[in-house]
Amino acid sequence: MTTALTIITKAMQKAGILIKSEVPSADEASDGLDALNDLMASYSNESILITSRVTELFNLSAGVGSYTIGAGQAFNTIRPMNIVEAHINSGTISYDSMYLCPDEVYQGLDLKTMQSIPDLLNYTNAFPYGTINLYPYPDSGYVLSLTSEKELTQFTLNQTVSLPPGWNRLLIYNLAVELAPEYGQKIDPMVLKIANDAKGAVARSIMKVRTLDAPPLSQIGMFNIYSGYYT
């Protein structure tokens, strides 16, 4: 267990901003908290640093193929950074994983409003909310199962948190690298090496339990290196 203030204090000590017996002033702690939360927001864009994935269920409406997702949206949840798997449930039946397609593929599809069991999902990761497009449009009130990666949690200064293994070291040393230039400090090469090593160790531990298999292709088409997507 630790706090953001503890991480900030140790980071400033590693960066040479404070000596070991010093603690940050209120202004320094505020700057450190901003930098720490900026670091967490940046890491949210790196899939290999997202420790856990979340599976959620959302009700679909017949004839509706587009849904906003985010706080207060049609799918009311934290906006996903990335959707890694989706499938349709109908009663006790779970259908095969949907094909997750990019915007340019979805925009090129014909007859978007045809209705059947959706087997293609397009996610537009906009801010402050994203949009999920389904193809074909659902012909019944199915349930959509989504497995996604969410933004990493932001800190408050004195909040007590329990971090996954390796994250305390990762944050202390990488925050030290972030803060050093703001206080006119030249970062110690060893601190920089430890920061990179700590980040790499966390990423490798996550990748060990991630499959490298590609999601199954939709039955409506596939990619071809010469012709792109065809139906």
Side-chain angles (χ1 to χ4, degrees):
M1 305 290 283
T2 189
T3 66
L5 182 58
T6 299
I7 292 170
I8 293 164
T9 301
K10 291 183 177 180
M12 287 186 166
Q13 292 169 352
K14 301 294 183 188
I17 300 165
L18 303 174
I19 62 174
K20 192 171 181 63
S21 60
E22 290 182 315
V23 295
S25 65
D27 185 59
E28 289 170 336
S30 178
D31 286 346
L33 182 63
D34 288 343
L36 178 59
N37 282 329
D38 286 346
L39 197 63
M40 295 296 284
S42 179
Y43 287 165
S44 294
N45 291 306
E46 300 186 46
S47 179
I48 59 173
L49 292 179
I50 305 294
T51 306
S52 63
R53 291 170 166 177
V54 179
T55 298
E56 300 168 291
L57 301 176
F58 301 101
N59 294 320
L60 303 179
S61 298
V64 179
S66 184
Y67 301 82
T68 54
I69 183 168
Q73 299 303 307
F75 293 169
N76 187 15
T77 184
I78 298 172
R79 178 182 65 92
M81 299 299 294
N82 182 38
I83 293 175
V84 296
E85 195 277 339
H87 64 268
I88 295 294
N89 294 327
S90 179
T92 59
I93 300 173
S94 291
Y95 291 91
D96 290 341
S97 292
M98 304 172 75
Y99 169 50
L100 307 177
C101 78
D103 292 345
E104 57 271 24
V105 172
Y106 177 76
Q107 295 303 328
L109 293 175
D110 294 328
L111 303 174
K112 289 188 179 67
T113 58
M114 65 179 287
Q115 296 187 25
S116 184
I117 301 171
D119 62 358
L120 180 151
L121 183 145
N122 162 251
Y123 179 48
T124 301
N125 188 9
F127 184 84
Y129 57 85
T131 301
I132 288 174
N133 299 304
L134 304 176
Y135 179 88
Y137 282 16
D139 60 357
S140 183
Y142 302 114
V143 174
L144 176 65
S145 173
L146 284 182
T147 299
S148 66
E149 297 167 348
K150 305 285 191 176
E151 183 176 352
L152 294 169
T153 303
Q154 299 279 286
F155 289 94
T156 58
L157 193 61
N158 293 300
Q159 170 192 7
T160 300
V161 294
S162 179
L163 296 172
W167 269 91
N168 196 53
R169 184 169 179 253
L170 180 156
L171 291 177
I172 289 170
Y173 279 88
N174 281 276
L175 184 59
V177 174
E178 293 278 325
L179 290 173
E182 294 186 24
Y183 291 87
Q185 296 294 319
K186 185 176 180 180
I187 197 68
D188 187 317
M190 184 54 68
V191 171
L192 180 59
K193 181 180 185 305
I194 294 174
N196 290 331
D197 288 348
K199 185 177 178 183
V202 168
R204 286 191 297 274
S205 71
I206 293 171
M207 291 305 296
K208 284 180 181 178
V209 296
R210 297 266 178 94
T211 177
L212 296 179
D213 293 342
L217 294 173
S218 165
Q219 294 179 350
I220 66 168
M222 62 182 296
F223 279 106
N224 180 286
I225 60 172
Y226 301 107
S227 61
Y229 185 86
Y230 67 87
T231 58

